[in-house]
Amino acid sequence: MASFSSSLALYYKILNNMDIVLGLQWGDEGKGKFIDLISENYDITARFNGGSNAGHSIERNGRKITLKMIPSGIFMKEVQNIIGTGTVLDPVSFKKRS
């Protein structure tokens, strides 16, 4: 079993290799567009909260695409996308979008 200090060191290492984008309003700050622009430089993008009513509008190849429940890095092949436990999934809406 790992000691507290080694667990703390691992936690610190993880935090030092992570960038987090948070919005402090009800949305519309451009978080999705920003993540779409920078996601190619990351291994993982994650959506950690929200529901099917929230979405990110991004532009891809001249088309406006609205993502709901899906992380904005989804169009980058090498990026692993995670839907976190704080995200409310509506199975009917999710199936329509997949």
Side-chain angles (χ1 to χ4, degrees):
M1 183 171 199
S3 69
F4 177 74
S5 61
S6 64
S7 297
L8 190 59
L10 177 61
Y11 180 72
Y12 182 73
K13 181 179 178 187
I14 290 169
L15 285 179
N16 279 332
N17 292 306
M18 182 185 314
D19 295 318
I20 299 171
V21 177
L22 293 173
L24 299 177
Q25 298 179 27
W26 293 105
D28 300 332
E29 300 103 335
K31 297 180 300 285
K33 290 177 181 78
F34 181 69
I35 296 299
D36 184 54
L37 290 172
I38 67 169
S39 62
E40 65 185 321
N41 301 315
Y42 291 84
D43 298 322
I44 299 171
T45 61
R47 179 156 186 163
F48 69 93
N49 72 354
S52 61
N53 62 330
H56 302 296
S57 296
I58 60 173
E59 190 170 311
R60 185 56 76 197
N61 299 325
R63 286 182 45 213
K64 180 181 176 182
I65 300 169
T66 303
L67 300 172
K68 297 181 181 270
M69 299 179 283
I70 298 175
S72 297
I74 196 72
F75 295 106
M76 303 297 168
K77 277 186 178 178
E78 296 80 24
V79 176
Q80 179 182 6
N81 291 273
I82 298 171
I83 298 173
T85 57
T87 305
V88 178
L89 289 180
D90 174 3
V92 174
S93 295
F94 193 75
K95 183 160 176 55
K96 283 181 189 175
R97 297 190 170 277
S98 56

